[in-house]
Amino acid sequence: GINAEYGGIFSAAILSVQETIDAKYFKKPMCSNFRPTELTYSYNERVERWRELVKSAGTYSDLHMLLSILDNCIKWERSLENITCRSCKKKWNIKSVYLKLVTSIK
């Protein structure tokens, strides 16, 4: 079974991560072009069902599986680490951009 205190914290953390991801960064099964059956569900219905499963997870294995589903549904190729400059097409070094930003604030 799952410890109510820690399971709740872990569930809340997973749900918080999901909330920070914009819908355009999801791929199937969270996105709209996934049709597992003849019934089609909207993005909001699929996300809400996934969220319900996270909230009702009975074991840490269930939570791990649901976290894996979330991870596999993210379009990682669109992450900040893969952004390229539009004019020169060079890949950005996100760490150097971050350091420049931080040092310019000081």
Side-chain angles (χ1 to χ4, degrees):
I2 196 167
N3 177 302
E5 179 183 353
Y6 295 117
I9 292 170
F10 192 51
S11 295
I14 293 172
L15 294 172
S16 294
V17 168
Q18 181 272 322
E19 289 173 356
T20 64
I21 303 168
D22 193 298
K24 66 183 176 184
Y25 296 109
F26 280 117
K27 58 185 176 185
K28 56 185 174 184
M30 293 280 194
C31 72
S32 61
N33 61 3
F34 180 66
R35 295 182 182 163
T37 65
E38 295 195 9
L39 296 173
T40 57
Y41 298 96
S42 72
Y43 165 79
N44 289 336
E45 290 170 327
R46 281 189 294 278
V47 170
E48 191 54 41
R49 178 68 181 129
W50 178 87
R51 293 178 61 79
E52 289 171 11
L53 290 169
V54 171
K55 291 174 188 175
S56 65
T59 65
Y60 288 111
S61 296
D62 292 344
L63 287 173
H64 184 266
M65 180 196 63
L66 291 162
L67 180 60
S68 294
I69 289 170
L70 176 64
D71 181 61
N72 289 326
C73 290
I74 297 171
K75 293 179 182 176
W76 290 109
E77 65 275 6
R78 294 189 67 189
S79 76
L80 286 177
E81 291 182 5
N82 295 320
I83 291 178
T84 57
C85 176
R86 289 185 181 173
S87 60
C88 69
K89 304 296 184 205
K90 287 186 180 178
K91 190 173 179 178
W92 286 20
N93 181 346
I94 196 70
K95 291 177 185 171
S96 67
V97 172
Y98 176 75
L99 287 174
K100 287 177 188 175
L101 178 66
V102 170
T103 55
S104 70
I105 293 173
K106 290 182 180 180

